[in-house]
PDB file of all heavy atoms in Angstrom:
ATOM      1  N   HIS A 425     -37.215   4.132  11.618  1.00  0.00           N
ATOM      2  CA  HIS A 425     -37.832   5.060  12.569  1.00  0.00           C
ATOM      3  C   HIS A 425     -38.635   6.114  11.828  1.00  0.00           C
ATOM      4  O   HIS A 425     -39.791   6.402  12.153  1.00  0.00           O
ATOM      5  CB  HIS A 425     -36.723   5.701  13.420  1.00  0.00           C
ATOM      6  CG  HIS A 425     -37.214   6.458  14.590  1.00  0.00           C
ATOM      7  ND1 HIS A 425     -37.591   7.778  14.517  1.00  0.00           N
ATOM      8  CD2 HIS A 425     -37.434   6.083  15.875  1.00  0.00           C
ATOM      9  CE1 HIS A 425     -37.997   8.188  15.702  1.00  0.00           C
ATOM     10  NE2 HIS A 425     -37.918   7.182  16.547  1.00  0.00           N
ATOM     11  N   GLU A 426     -38.022   6.656  10.786  1.00  0.00           N
ATOM     12  CA  GLU A 426     -38.656   7.728  10.015  1.00  0.00           C
ATOM     13  C   GLU A 426     -39.931   7.241   9.322  1.00  0.00           C
ATOM     14  O   GLU A 426     -40.902   7.994   9.199  1.00  0.00           O
ATOM     15  CB  GLU A 426     -37.641   8.199   8.972  1.00  0.00           C
ATOM     16  CG  GLU A 426     -38.015   9.417   8.187  1.00  0.00           C
ATOM     17  CD  GLU A 426     -36.932   9.693   7.140  1.00  0.00           C
ATOM     18  OE1 GLU A 426     -35.738   9.441   7.414  1.00  0.00           O
ATOM     19  OE2 GLU A 426     -37.302  10.150   6.038  1.00  0.00           O
ATOM     20  N   HIS A 427     -39.943   5.992   8.881  1.00  0.00           N
ATOM     21  CA  HIS A 427     -41.081   5.502   8.109  1.00  0.00           C
ATOM     22  C   HIS A 427     -42.116   4.753   8.942  1.00  0.00           C
ATOM     23  O   HIS A 427     -43.042   4.180   8.386  1.00  0.00           O
ATOM     24  CB  HIS A 427     -40.596   4.669   6.924  1.00  0.00           C
ATOM     25  CG  HIS A 427     -39.926   5.513   5.885  1.00  0.00           C
ATOM     26  ND1 HIS A 427     -40.648   6.319   5.026  1.00  0.00           N
ATOM     27  CD2 HIS A 427     -38.634   5.754   5.642  1.00  0.00           C
ATOM     28  CE1 HIS A 427     -39.797   6.991   4.263  1.00  0.00           C
ATOM     29  NE2 HIS A 427     -38.573   6.667   4.608  1.00  0.00           N
ATOM     30  N   LEU A 428     -41.950   4.793  10.271  1.00  0.00           N
ATOM     31  CA  LEU A 428     -42.989   4.245  11.153  1.00  0.00           C
ATOM     32  C   LEU A 428     -43.939   5.355  11.560  1.00  0.00           C
ATOM     33  O   LEU A 428     -43.532   6.523  11.700  1.00  0.00           O
ATOM     34  CB  LEU A 428     -42.361   3.648  12.415  1.00  0.00           C
ATOM     35  CG  LEU A 428     -41.838   2.215  12.316  1.00  0.00           C
ATOM     36  CD1 LEU A 428     -41.026   1.865  13.569  1.00  0.00           C
ATOM     37  CD2 LEU A 428     -42.970   1.201  12.114  1.00  0.00           C
ATOM     38  N   GLU A 429     -45.197   4.990  11.769  1.00  0.00           N
ATOM     39  CA  GLU A 429     -46.142   5.946  12.352  1.00  0.00           C
ATOM     40  C   GLU A 429     -45.700   6.217  13.794  1.00  0.00           C
ATOM     41  O   GLU A 429     -44.921   5.453  14.368  1.00  0.00           O
ATOM     42  CB  GLU A 429     -47.556   5.347  12.308  1.00  0.00           C
ATOM     43  CG  GLU A 429     -48.085   5.310  10.881  1.00  0.00           C
ATOM     44  CD  GLU A 429     -49.497   4.720  10.777  1.00  0.00           C
ATOM     45  OE1 GLU A 429     -50.119   4.429  11.819  1.00  0.00           O
ATOM     46  OE2 GLU A 429     -49.959   4.555   9.642  1.00  0.00           O
ATOM     47  N   PRO A 430     -46.208   7.306  14.414  1.00  0.00           N
ATOM     48  CA  PRO A 430     -45.701   7.706  15.735  1.00  0.00           C
ATOM     49  C   PRO A 430     -45.735   6.591  16.790  1.00  0.00           C
ATOM     50  O   PRO A 430     -44.847   6.502  17.624  1.00  0.00           O
ATOM     51  CB  PRO A 430     -46.631   8.854  16.125  1.00  0.00           C
ATOM     52  CG  PRO A 430     -47.099   9.404  14.812  1.00  0.00           C
ATOM     53  CD  PRO A 430     -47.163   8.262  13.850  1.00  0.00           C
ATOM     54  N   ASP A 431     -46.748   5.725  16.751  1.00  0.00           N
ATOM     55  CA  ASP A 431     -46.807   4.640  17.743  1.00  0.00           C
ATOM     56  C   ASP A 431     -46.449   3.290  17.108  1.00  0.00           C
ATOM     57  O   ASP A 431     -46.904   2.240  17.549  1.00  0.00           O
ATOM     58  CB  ASP A 431     -48.206   4.578  18.364  1.00  0.00           C
ATOM     59  CG  ASP A 431     -49.289   4.461  17.262  1.00  0.00           C
ATOM     60  OD1 ASP A 431     -48.944   4.668  16.068  1.00  0.00           O
ATOM     61  OD2 ASP A 431     -50.447   4.165  17.589  1.00  0.00           O
ATOM     62  N   GLY A 432     -45.606   3.345  16.084  1.00  0.00           N
ATOM     63  CA  GLY A 432     -45.307   2.130  15.324  1.00  0.00           C
ATOM     64  C   GLY A 432     -44.330   1.193  16.024  1.00  0.00           C
ATOM     65  O   GLY A 432     -43.625   1.568  16.966  1.00  0.00           O
ATOM     66  N   THR A 433     -44.312  -0.045  15.507  1.00  0.00           N
ATOM     67  CA  THR A 433     -43.465  -1.100  16.099  1.00  0.00           C
ATOM     68  C   THR A 433     -42.487  -1.627  15.055  1.00  0.00           C
ATOM     69  O   THR A 433     -42.869  -1.883  13.910  1.00  0.00           O
ATOM     70  CB  THR A 433     -44.347  -2.288  16.573  1.00  0.00           C
ATOM     71  OG1 THR A 433     -45.306  -1.789  17.494  1.00  0.00           O
ATOM     72  CG2 THR A 433     -43.524  -3.374  17.247  1.00  0.00           C
ATOM     73  N   LEU A 434     -41.243  -1.792  15.488  1.00  0.00           N
ATOM     74  CA  LEU A 434     -40.207  -2.392  14.641  1.00  0.00           C
ATOM     75  C   LEU A 434     -39.884  -3.786  15.169  1.00  0.00           C
ATOM     76  O   LEU A 434     -39.675  -3.953  16.376  1.00  0.00           O
ATOM     77  CB  LEU A 434     -38.938  -1.520  14.691  1.00  0.00           C
ATOM     78  CG  LEU A 434     -37.700  -2.081  13.993  1.00  0.00           C
ATOM     79  CD1 LEU A 434     -37.904  -2.134  12.478  1.00  0.00           C
ATOM     80  CD2 LEU A 434     -36.476  -1.229  14.326  1.00  0.00           C
ATOM     81  N   LEU A 435     -39.863  -4.770  14.274  1.00  0.00           N
ATOM     82  CA  LEU A 435     -39.457  -6.126  14.668  1.00  0.00           C
ATOM     83  C   LEU A 435     -38.273  -6.549  13.810  1.00  0.00           C
ATOM     84  O   LEU A 435     -38.340  -6.477  12.570  1.00  0.00           O
ATOM     85  CB  LEU A 435     -40.598  -7.119  14.447  1.00  0.00           C
ATOM     86  CG  LEU A 435     -41.843  -6.886  15.298  1.00  0.00           C
ATOM     87  CD1 LEU A 435     -43.033  -6.547  14.417  1.00  0.00           C
ATOM     88  CD2 LEU A 435     -42.168  -8.097  16.139  1.00  0.00           C
ATOM     89  N   ILE A 436     -37.193  -6.950  14.463  1.00  0.00           N
ATOM     90  CA  ILE A 436     -35.996  -7.392  13.738  1.00  0.00           C
ATOM     91  C   ILE A 436     -35.537  -8.710  14.349  1.00  0.00           C
ATOM     92  O   ILE A 436     -35.410  -8.787  15.584  1.00  0.00           O
ATOM     93  CB  ILE A 436     -34.841  -6.372  13.891  1.00  0.00           C
ATOM     94  CG1 ILE A 436     -35.186  -5.047  13.232  1.00  0.00           C
ATOM     95  CG2 ILE A 436     -33.543  -6.920  13.321  1.00  0.00           C
ATOM     96  CD1 ILE A 436     -34.066  -4.003  13.328  1.00  0.00           C
ATOM     97  N   ASP A 437     -35.272  -9.707  13.522  1.00  0.00           N
ATOM     98  CA  ASP A 437     -34.671 -10.907  14.109  1.00  0.00           C
ATOM     99  C   ASP A 437     -33.202 -11.015  13.711  1.00  0.00           C
ATOM    100  O   ASP A 437     -32.761 -10.410  12.729  1.00  0.00           O
ATOM    101  CB  ASP A 437     -35.467 -12.176  13.783  1.00  0.00           C
ATOM    102  CG  ASP A 437     -35.426 -12.550  12.307  1.00  0.00           C
ATOM    103  OD1 ASP A 437     -34.668 -11.944  11.542  1.00  0.00           O
ATOM    104  OD2 ASP A 437     -36.185 -13.469  11.929  1.00  0.00           O
ATOM    105  N   LEU A 438     -32.469 -11.730  14.520  1.00  0.00           N
ATOM    106  CA  LEU A 438     -31.028 -11.902  14.321  1.00  0.00           C
ATOM    107  C   LEU A 438     -30.651 -13.336  14.622  1.00  0.00           C
ATOM    108  O   LEU A 438     -31.139 -13.900  15.615  1.00  0.00           O
ATOM    109  CB  LEU A 438     -30.261 -11.108  15.381  1.00  0.00           C
ATOM    110  CG  LEU A 438     -29.829  -9.693  15.230  1.00  0.00           C
ATOM    111  CD1 LEU A 438     -28.904  -9.346  16.393  1.00  0.00           C
ATOM    112  CD2 LEU A 438     -29.103  -9.472  13.918  1.00  0.00           C
ATOM    113  N   GLU A 439     -29.765 -13.903  13.817  1.00  0.00           N
ATOM    114  CA  GLU A 439     -29.125 -15.153  14.224  1.00  0.00           C
ATOM    115  C   GLU A 439     -27.888 -14.725  15.003  1.00  0.00           C
ATOM    116  O   GLU A 439     -27.056 -13.965  14.481  1.00  0.00           O
ATOM    117  CB  GLU A 439     -28.737 -15.978  12.994  1.00  0.00           C
ATOM    118  CG  GLU A 439     -28.142 -17.321  13.376  1.00  0.00           C
ATOM    119  CD  GLU A 439     -27.886 -18.223  12.180  1.00  0.00           C
ATOM    120  OE1 GLU A 439     -28.040 -17.773  11.033  1.00  0.00           O
ATOM    121  OE2 GLU A 439     -27.522 -19.393  12.416  1.00  0.00           O
ATOM    122  N   VAL A 440     -27.761 -15.150  16.247  1.00  0.00           N
ATOM    123  CA  VAL A 440     -26.646 -14.660  17.067  1.00  0.00           C
ATOM    124  C   VAL A 440     -25.325 -15.215  16.521  1.00  0.00           C
ATOM    125  O   VAL A 440     -25.294 -16.316  15.952  1.00  0.00           O
ATOM    126  CB  VAL A 440     -26.838 -15.027  18.562  1.00  0.00           C
ATOM    127  CG1 VAL A 440     -27.993 -14.251  19.149  1.00  0.00           C
ATOM    128  CG2 VAL A 440     -27.013 -16.519  18.757  1.00  0.00           C
ATOM    129  N   PRO A 441     -24.216 -14.451  16.676  1.00  0.00           N
ATOM    130  CA  PRO A 441     -22.947 -14.838  16.034  1.00  0.00           C
ATOM    131  C   PRO A 441     -22.404 -16.178  16.514  1.00  0.00           C
ATOM    132  O   PRO A 441     -21.598 -16.795  15.832  1.00  0.00           O
ATOM    133  CB  PRO A 441     -21.997 -13.704  16.436  1.00  0.00           C
ATOM    134  CG  PRO A 441     -22.870 -12.560  16.785  1.00  0.00           C
ATOM    135  CD  PRO A 441     -24.134 -13.143  17.338  1.00  0.00           C
ATOM    136  N   TYR A 442     -22.844 -16.647  17.707  1.00  0.00           N
ATOM    137  CA  TYR A 442     -22.320 -17.900  18.254  1.00  0.00           C
ATOM    138  C   TYR A 442     -23.245 -19.091  17.958  1.00  0.00           C
ATOM    139  O   TYR A 442     -23.041 -20.196  18.478  1.00  0.00           O
ATOM    140  CB  TYR A 442     -22.116 -17.759  19.775  1.00  0.00           C
ATOM    141  CG  TYR A 442     -23.268 -17.080  20.488  1.00  0.00           C
ATOM    142  CD1 TYR A 442     -24.374 -17.809  20.926  1.00  0.00           C
ATOM    143  CD2 TYR A 442     -23.273 -15.701  20.676  1.00  0.00           C
ATOM    144  CE1 TYR A 442     -25.442 -17.196  21.535  1.00  0.00           C
ATOM    145  CE2 TYR A 442     -24.350 -15.074  21.289  1.00  0.00           C
ATOM    146  CZ  TYR A 442     -25.420 -15.823  21.716  1.00  0.00           C
ATOM    147  OH  TYR A 442     -26.487 -15.208  22.310  1.00  0.00           O
ATOM    148  N   ALA A 443     -24.261 -18.877  17.076  1.00  0.00           N
ATOM    149  CA  ALA A 443     -25.223 -19.958  16.800  1.00  0.00           C
ATOM    150  C   ALA A 443     -24.605 -21.076  15.952  1.00  0.00           C
ATOM    151  O   ALA A 443     -24.886 -22.250  16.162  1.00  0.00           O
ATOM    152  CB  ALA A 443     -26.446 -19.391  16.082  1.00  0.00           C
ATOM    153  N   ASP A 444     -23.770 -20.680  15.005  1.00  0.00           N
ATOM    154  CA  ASP A 444     -23.210 -21.641  14.057  1.00  0.00           C
ATOM    155  C   ASP A 444     -21.773 -21.942  14.494  1.00  0.00           C
ATOM    156  O   ASP A 444     -20.891 -21.093  14.388  1.00  0.00           O
ATOM    157  CB  ASP A 444     -23.255 -20.993  12.660  1.00  0.00           C
ATOM    158  CG  ASP A 444     -22.567 -21.822  11.599  1.00  0.00           C
ATOM    159  OD1 ASP A 444     -21.888 -22.819  11.936  1.00  0.00           O
ATOM    160  OD2 ASP A 444     -22.692 -21.465  10.423  1.00  0.00           O
ATOM    161  N   GLY A 445     -21.558 -23.167  14.976  1.00  0.00           N
ATOM    162  CA  GLY A 445     -20.258 -23.537  15.543  1.00  0.00           C
ATOM    163  C   GLY A 445     -19.121 -23.372  14.548  1.00  0.00           C
ATOM    164  O   GLY A 445     -18.026 -22.937  14.902  1.00  0.00           O
ATOM    165  N   GLU A 446     -19.394 -23.683  13.284  1.00  0.00           N
ATOM    166  CA  GLU A 446     -18.349 -23.604  12.267  1.00  0.00           C
ATOM    167  C   GLU A 446     -17.898 -22.148  12.073  1.00  0.00           C
ATOM    168  O   GLU A 446     -16.711 -21.854  11.953  1.00  0.00           O
ATOM    169  CB  GLU A 446     -18.901 -24.154  10.963  1.00  0.00           C
ATOM    170  CG  GLU A 446     -17.836 -24.579   9.991  1.00  0.00           C
ATOM    171  CD  GLU A 446     -18.461 -25.003   8.676  1.00  0.00           C
ATOM    172  OE1 GLU A 446     -19.511 -25.700   8.721  1.00  0.00           O
ATOM    173  OE2 GLU A 446     -17.933 -24.614   7.638  1.00  0.00           O
TER     174      GLU A 446
END
Side-chain angles (χ1 to χ4, degrees):
H425 191 274
E426 188 183 325
H427 290 285
L428 276 170
E429 289 180 5
D431 54 348
T433 303
L434 173 67
L435 296 116
I436 295 181
D437 67 8
L438 270 189
E439 183 174 7
V440 291
Y442 44 86
D444 174 350
E446 200 185 318

